[in-house]
Amino acid sequence: MASLFLFTVALSGCSGSPLGYLDATSPIAGAIASLGLGLTAISIAVCIVVGVLLVVALWRGRRAHDLAITPVNDRTAIRWIGFGVAISTVFLVGSAVWTLLTVSSISQPAQASALSIDVIGQEWWWAVKYRSSNPAREFITANQLVIPVGVPVQINLTSKDVIHSFWVPKLGGKMDMIPSRTNVTWLQADKVGDFRGQCSEFCGLQHANMAFNVRVLSKPDFEAWWDRQLLPTAGSGDDPRLKTFLVRCAACHTIRGTPAGGILGPDLSHFGDRETIASGLMTNTPANLAKWINNTQTIKPGVKMPELHMLASEIDDVTTYLEGLK
Amino acid sequence: MTTVQPNMEVTSTRQKLLDIWETAPGLYGWLATVDHKTIGIRYLCTAFFFLVIGGIEALAMRVQLAQPDLKILSPDAYNQLFSMHGTTMMFLYALPMLSGFSNYLWPLMLGSRDMAFPRLNALSYWVFLFAGIFLYISFPLGQAPNGGWFAYVPNTSLEYDPGINMDVFALGLVFLGISTVVGSANFIVTLLRCRAPGMSVNRLPILVWGTLTASAANLLAVPAVSLACAMLWLDRRYGTHFFDVKGGGQPLLWQHLFWIFGHPWVYALVLPAMGIVSDALPVFCRRPLVGYTLVAISTVATMILGFGVWVHHMFATGLPVMSLSFFSAASFIIAIPSAIAVFAWIATIWTGKLQFTTPFLFFTGFIMLFVIGGVSGFMTASVALDWQLTDTYFIVAHLHYVLLGINVFPVVGGLHFWFPKMSGRMMDERLGKWTFWTMFIGFNAAFFPMHVTGLMGMPRRIYTYPADMGVGWLNMLSTLGAFVFAVGVFLFLINVAKSLKSGAPAGDNPWDAPTLEWATTSPPPVYNFATIPQVASRYPLWEDRLKETEERSIIGDAVRDGMVLDKGKETIGVTPLDAEPNVVLKMPGDSILPFLLSVGMTGLFFGLLAQVIWLVALGAVCEFGVLALWLTPEPHAALEEVEIHD
Ligand code: HEM
Ligand SMILES: [Cu+2]
């Protein structure tokens, strides 16, 4: 029964947690949370009923003096078993029906999604591609999803290497990202804010540190954000800082509007806009970025970005340059 | 021949049987024995050893997870540990442990002298042992399997996992699968043929029902995983494309094959353990189990339904919602037979006169854990809810309540219960109760909080987690609980050691239990029963007091009319359903061949692992040679039809 107490503490505690899904902020997660609370309530009730039955049974039989084996008649006892099983069946069938109703209410959005985003999982980060009917308005970013509040957004999921799973607990359930397949899910946020996402299928060494951020903006802010993404970012071609970046980083990273066009690592255009570094591992500050560049393997062992052994001045260049890309 | 032995002097019969059945002393006898009791005890000890190893791995993981951002284990070490922990517990502890019980107990419970195929029985043990060693061989080199016990492709393909880690896993499971399949076939035939006359199917102990259904399921399920592992290995080493996306392969194929095996498997890990409880709990309630028939049927029903729910491990893979709904509904329905069993146990306690012995504590504790693990399973059966719950610590909590609650607790209770039969000595009750409470409290402290960390969104299979998730203190509690649980296991081992040396002598039937294994001495003679018992009811040793039928079973040495079968290594064969005796089975003697066959197989698998052709060839030749010897008919092996009196 201490367990019940813990459960209650837990349910209230979950609200504070960045990956807790019982305080939902979306129609999908909301429907699942109600179902979850309902089934949890049934579960706790079952534990209490069985616990009480068991304790009473133990109490009744505790002082048996006469341990002789005597003839038994179990007709009544078997009737009680039948009764217990019948009640359980009612609850099981009821829960199954509730589940199926929930599934059908959340498997498709109420209105068609106007916005479609591709998310491609890879060891151990996320590429994000914004779709548009106008190819000139499409662009690629990484490790951060920005979506408008209140409308359904279609998310097309696939993977470049192993299986990952896309999960933003406060906005909805998981969907796997499987190479050679595209799984489609959708997100809809009820309020503006930042929400954490996390890979939830074991994908190798850095599965633990494969997180991302979902930033929900008001409609006008979202439009403005999109327009800003399409602006040329660069700074002029002979900016010495960009030069350092081109020499040291461009083999793997892209910055739109510059010669940097590597595709092995995350796209870094508008890097200054992002909440975190290394897929949710550290907050995006110049100090953290400086630390990251030379210590990738200590900070995120196994990560596919090599330690670059850059000079302090080079690090300074690159950090200042990247953080300036808003 | 005739089975009637009039006026036979009891002691001389026993001597004669002993001469016929006894294993030769020395190393040869040790390697060659086919006595199901010896093999059963070897299974139990080896499986327990693996439980301890898997437990140590778990403790190492728990230390790393005790607080956020710890750096005690590297991610690679953590991945190897959780993979080996899962693999060890599922394959090298949980099922072999139950096989140990069934091996030891079946012939005794069924009133037979041995399993149907004693040599296969020895083979299945040796293969299990060598496959276990095989799976662990790369552990000291830091090259142990590291892709999880579920080994999802493509993460386990050569491209993403280039070491030998997953080759060890794939070949190891194929190797171990041989043991499981051989053992299962043996159980099934034993049940059908090697029972005491009169032990019709409605008189079988529930443990027998549990192991029987589990074995039938294994015969169907294990080939799926052996096949999948062979395909994985071919993909890795010979460039086939079963799962390789670039060659048109399908990663989801692996998941289907794995879970078509995996889900029935988890039922195979619990049904025999539930059988242990159904048979042993009533003894301490001083009455038969309430609803025997219902429980037997629910056992079989669970297993059958168990084949229809594998997709609930794949709710998030993007399969069509329609099919997910079907599997979700089936996963709810499978709880009904479990409910029957739970109510039957509670009714038995309710109507019983209770004896609070150590095994009784383990069995009642089990009922509560079973229910908690059951309701968390009920929550994950809901496809919509599972989209949140899957791959979080909620699942880790669920699977441990199920596996420790329904497997480890009945197993440890069962070891306390049958220890007197196996050793002739009682276990210490005071230490036993300490063991129970330490394990029970430690277990709940370790695993209950995981429900909560799961609801707070902590993903599983992570080697570290950030502090802002707010789960640090809950994880600390889990870690402390795990250590308390480990202390409980240690107390159990101390109790075993102490009781072996100085436990009170047990006598034939210290618990006054009703089934046949308690009718013979503790420990039983190598031939089990001097006279084959004839069974007239479900509870032969209680029937005088239960007064359910007029007929009485005939058990005991001095029976003038009984079947002694002392013309050679023999036992009686019966018809499958009604257990009418219809044949005298000639049992094979001890033999080194099972051991040699396993050694050859080990060579073969090491050859495949190292890709050393001559070793593969040597292993194969050795296999053929041994098999040829094995299959050579023995002069007296033909069955004899017999006239059975009345
Ligand atoms: C002292 C007792 C035990 C402790 C402290 C313990 C702890 C753990 C931990 C920490 C994990 C890793 C979770 C993760 O990273 O996702 C785990 C996984 C697992 N455990 Fe245990 N465990 C114990 C006993 C058992 C037993 C007895 C069994 C089975 C009979 C078992 C079966 C498993 C399985 C199947 C996994 C999943 C591995 C995977 O995800 O591939 N454990 N356990
Ligand atoms: Cu991932």
Side-chain angles (χ1 to χ4, degrees):
Chain A
M1 302 305 107
S3 36
L4 281 178
F5 167 72
L6 257 174
F7 232 108
T8 330
V9 173
L11 294 184
S12 49
C14 295
S15 339
S17 164
L19 291 174
Y21 38 89
L22 291 173
D23 57 331
T25 16
S26 91
I28 307 178
I32 299 182
S34 325
L35 177 68
L37 289 174
L39 297 194
T40 308
I42 296 176
S43 298
I44 293 178
V46 170
C47 289
I48 293 177
V49 169
V50 173
V52 168
L53 284 176
L54 206 53
V55 168
V56 174
L58 292 175
W59 191 258
R60 293 180 68 220
R62 77 196 179 284
R63 289 244 174 72
H65 291 300
D66 161 33
L67 294 175
I69 302 293
T70 47
V72 291
N73 177 350
D74 287 339
R75 218 166 294 146
T76 327
I78 290 180
R79 204 167 311 136
W80 279 101
I81 296 180
F83 183 65
V85 173
I87 297 188
S88 318
T89 308
V90 169
F91 275 96
L92 287 167
V93 172
S95 308
V97 171
W98 187 2
T99 295
L100 300 188
L101 291 176
T102 308
V103 167
S104 74
S105 78
I106 61 178
S107 56
Q108 294 292 328
Q111 68 198 84
S113 314
L115 183 62
S116 168
I117 305 175
D118 295 352
V119 181
I120 301 131
Q122 40 206 301
E123 290 185 326
W124 291 280
W125 59 281
W126 315 74
V128 183
K129 189 168 177 187
Y130 281 75
R131 295 258 178 214
S132 166
S133 48
N134 173 2
R137 285 186 61 81
E138 296 197 333
F139 65 92
I140 293 175
T141 167
N143 296 333
Q144 173 150 303
L145 240 68
V146 179
I147 61 171
V149 73
V151 296
V153 180
Q154 178 180 325
I155 313 282
N156 313 306
L157 301 167
T158 186
S159 162
K160 224 174 118 179
D161 39 49
V162 305
I163 299 178
H164 304 274
S165 192
F166 178 87
W167 185 37
V168 193
K170 290 197 194 309
L171 301 183
K174 304 178 180 73
M175 182 64 90
D176 288 353
M177 319 172 87
I178 303 172
S180 85
R181 280 175 72 99
T182 303
N183 279 336
V184 177
T185 183
W186 62 287
L187 292 180
Q188 178 173 336
D190 291 337
K191 64 174 197 238
V192 168
D194 282 298
F195 301 95
R196 190 181 298 176
Q198 165 77 34
C199 174
S200 51
E201 184 61 83
F202 177 67
C203 57
L205 282 182
Q206 282 301 330
H207 167 57
N209 292 314
M210 184 167 162
F212 61 103
N213 183 41
V214 177
R215 172 164 292 171
V216 181
L217 299 176
S218 69
K219 269 246 180 69
D221 285 353
F222 177 72
E223 298 297 340
W225 173 83
W226 190 314
D227 292 338
R228 207 165 61 239
Q229 294 295 313
L230 299 171
L231 295 179
T233 37
S236 69
D238 47 33
D239 178 342
R241 291 178 174 142
L242 171 58
K243 270 215 179 102
T244 313
F245 184 89
L246 289 178
V247 174
R248 303 304 308 257
C249 320
C252 296
H253 294 285
T254 294
I255 291 179
R256 282 193 299 282
T258 74
I263 53 165
L264 293 177
D267 185 308
L268 297 179
S269 321
H270 303 277
F271 179 79
D273 196 34
R274 297 202 193 139
E275 196 62 23
T276 63
I277 301 175
S279 312
L281 191 51
M282 299 185 287
T283 44
N284 185 1
T285 62
N288 278 342
L289 180 57
K291 206 159 87 196
W292 168 251
I293 291 171
N294 270 1
N295 303 288
T296 52
Q297 297 303 325
T298 350
I299 296 174
K300 193 170 174 179
V303 69
K304 308 265 155 115
M305 173 165 164
E307 291 187 349
L308 290 167
H309 307 295
M310 282 167 44
L311 303 173
S313 64
E314 292 178 309
I315 292 185
D316 199 43
D317 280 353
V318 170
T319 312
T320 320
Y321 173 73
L322 283 176
E323 296 294 355
L325 302 175
K326 294 285 182 186
Chain B
M1 67 159 276
T2 162
T3 57
V4 181
Q5 304 290 333
N7 295 323
M8 177 65 81
E9 185 48 49
V10 173
T11 36
S12 77
T13 313
R14 284 183 175 177
Q15 192 51 51
K16 209 164 151 197
L17 284 168
L18 199 62
D19 293 341
I20 295 171
W21 284 81
E22 202 165 41
T23 295
L27 182 65
Y28 177 83
W30 198 83
L31 294 175
T33 182
V34 297
D35 179 4
H36 72 96
K37 295 179 288 301
T38 311
I39 294 172
I41 289 175
R42 283 180 189 171
Y43 255 112
L44 294 175
C45 294
T46 314
F48 207 94
F49 174 76
F50 280 121
L51 174 72
V52 171
I53 299 283
I56 293 171
E57 289 158 358
L59 292 180
M61 291 188 281
R62 281 313 325 168
V63 169
Q64 162 70 14
L65 294 173
Q67 285 289 284
D69 298 319
L70 291 185
K71 296 209 162 54
I72 298 161
L73 293 176
S74 71
D76 185 38
Y78 185 88
N79 289 351
Q80 292 189 30
L81 283 173
F82 92 74
S83 305
M84 285 310 282
H85 168 73
T87 308
T88 305
M89 291 302 195
M90 296 303 269
F91 295 112
L92 302 178
Y93 158 70
L95 195 85
M97 185 54 123
L98 299 175
S99 302
F101 274 101
S102 299
N103 256 313
Y104 186 86
L105 290 171
W106 269 41
L108 291 167
M109 284 182 152
L110 295 174
S112 176
R113 283 198 176 140
D114 207 333
M115 302 284 285
F117 304 119
R119 289 184 184 176
L120 275 191
N121 208 19
L123 178 71
S124 90
Y125 173 74
W126 291 121
V127 173
F128 154 57
L129 178 67
F130 289 135
I133 295 171
F134 184 89
L135 276 164
Y136 264 92
I137 206 80
S138 62
F139 196 70
L141 307 176
Q143 292 281 309
N146 57 358
W149 85 282
F150 53 97
Y152 276 11
V153 290
N155 189 43
T156 50
S157 64
L158 194 62
E159 184 174 359
Y160 301 105
D161 202 339
I164 63 161
N165 317 53
M166 293 316 291
D167 296 315
V168 173
F169 176 87
L171 291 172
L173 285 203
V174 175
F175 191 1
L176 184 65
I178 297 171
S179 158
T180 314
V181 168
V182 161
S184 301
N186 200 359
F187 283 125
I188 293 173
V189 179
T190 301
L191 177 92
L192 294 177
R193 293 297 267 156
C194 297
R195 285 175 282 152
M199 177 151 309
S200 49
V201 282
N202 59 343
R203 290 174 183 162
L204 299 176
I206 303 280
L207 170 61
V208 176
W209 278 109
T211 309
L212 174 71
T213 40
S215 304
N218 281 338
L219 281 190
L220 297 171
V222 171
V225 78
S226 299
L227 174 71
C229 285
M231 285 154 74
L232 175 62
W233 183 69
L234 289 174
D235 267 15
R236 289 176 57 89
R237 292 300 160 194
Y238 293 97
T240 54
H241 305 288
F242 293 109
F243 309 119
D244 176 22
V245 175
K246 292 186 190 92
Q250 277 296 339
L252 279 188
L253 174 62
W254 169 272
Q255 297 190 21
H256 281 293
L257 285 174
F258 188 81
W259 291 117
I260 281 174
F261 148 79
H263 202 85
W265 178 261
V266 300
Y267 284 109
L269 301 186
V270 299
L271 290 175
M274 290 160 68
I276 289 177
V277 176
S278 296
D279 289 338
L281 174 73
V283 172
F284 302 105
C285 304
R286 310 308 299 145
R287 52 152 302 136
L289 178 69
V290 177
Y292 167 92
T293 314
L294 288 175
V295 175
I297 291 175
S298 80
T299 306
V300 178
T302 304
M303 199 67 252
I304 293 172
L305 289 171
F307 276 92
V309 298
W310 82 90
V311 169
H312 73 207
H313 296 269
M314 301 170 62
F315 278 160
T317 52
L319 295 176
V321 170
M322 195 56 205
S323 69
L324 296 184
S325 302
F326 168 82
F327 282 98
S328 180
S331 307
F332 278 113
I333 299 308
I334 200 169
I336 295 175
S338 302
I340 295 178
V342 169
F343 287 120
W345 295 320
I346 294 179
T348 307
I349 298 178
W350 190 283
T351 55
K353 305 168 215 165
L354 310 182
Q355 280 180 296
F356 286 80
T357 58
T358 304
F360 178 76
L361 293 181
F362 273 97
F363 300 143
T364 32
F366 145 87
I367 298 176
M368 203 57 230
L369 303 181
F370 182 99
V371 171
I372 298 176
V375 295
S376 59
F378 152 81
M379 289 171 68
T380 53
S382 165
V383 49
L385 185 54
D386 190 65
W387 285 332
Q388 293 285 23
L389 299 177
T390 186
D391 277 315
T392 67
Y393 260 77
F394 191 88
I395 303 294
V396 181
H398 161 69
L399 77 91
H400 285 89
Y401 266 85
V402 177
L403 290 171
L404 277 130
I406 316 186
N407 184 298
V408 177
F409 277 79
V411 159
V412 178
L415 289 173
H416 281 90
F417 183 67
W418 280 294
F419 183 86
K421 180 52 58 184
M422 298 177 190
S423 68
R425 290 180 185 277
M426 302 301 289
M427 282 183 78
D428 186 295
E429 269 293 310
R430 226 165 70 101
L431 200 47
K433 292 195 167 115
W434 274 95
T435 307
F436 169 75
W437 287 110
T438 321
M439 283 177 67
F440 191 75
I441 292 170
F443 170 76
N444 283 293
F447 292 100
F448 198 86
M450 292 185 190
H451 292 106
V452 182
T453 48
L455 291 172
M456 291 171 77
M458 180 168 167
R460 68 192 279 207
R461 300 166 185 151
I462 54 173
Y463 74 98
T464 189
Y465 53 94
D468 72 350
M469 283 188 55
V471 292
W473 69 277
L474 286 167
N475 274 293
M476 180 54 98
L477 184 56
S478 284
T479 300
L480 295 176
F483 277 91
V484 174
F485 182 83
V487 169
V489 175
F490 188 63
L491 288 180
F492 170 74
L493 290 175
I494 293 181
N495 198 351
V496 168
K498 188 174 148 226
S499 307
L500 274 180
K501 240 175 65 198
S502 56
D508 292 358
N509 190 0
W511 312 113
D512 184 20
T515 37
L516 283 182
E517 77 271 26
W518 302 102
T520 181
T521 52
S522 309
V526 57
Y527 49 84
N528 291 354
F529 301 95
T531 313
I532 303 282
Q534 292 185 53
V535 178
S537 76
R538 196 177 289 154
Y539 304 102
L541 307 191
W542 282 359
E543 63 195 11
D544 287 338
R545 289 169 278 172
L546 286 175
K547 302 198 172 63
E548 283 175 348
T549 53
E550 291 298 307
E551 268 180 276
R552 289 292 174 264
S553 307
I554 307 172
I555 308 164
D557 284 345
V559 181
R560 298 179 46 138
D561 236 9
M563 292 175 233
V564 176
L565 305 185
D566 57 358
K567 296 267 158 46
K569 226 179 163 189
E570 295 170 341
T571 191
I572 199 79
V574 297
T575 57
L577 289 181
D578 300 329
E580 303 281 357
N582 66 350
V583 68
V584 171
L585 300 168
K586 301 274 183 192
M587 306 303 278
D590 289 347
S591 162
I592 192 90
L593 294 178
F595 176 76
L596 292 181
L597 197 65
S598 320
V599 171
M601 220 179 280
T602 310
L604 186 72
F605 275 94
F606 271 110
L608 293 174
L609 178 66
Q611 308 225 296
V612 176
I613 293 299
W614 64 262
L615 191 51
V616 177
L618 189 69
V621 169
C622 172
E623 292 296 89
F624 281 117
V626 177
L627 275 178
L629 284 178
W630 189 320
L631 297 177
T632 311
E634 282 171 44
H636 302 298
L639 297 180
E640 280 176 62
E641 293 297 325
V642 280
E643 282 300 302
I644 300 293
H645 54 95
D646 74 58

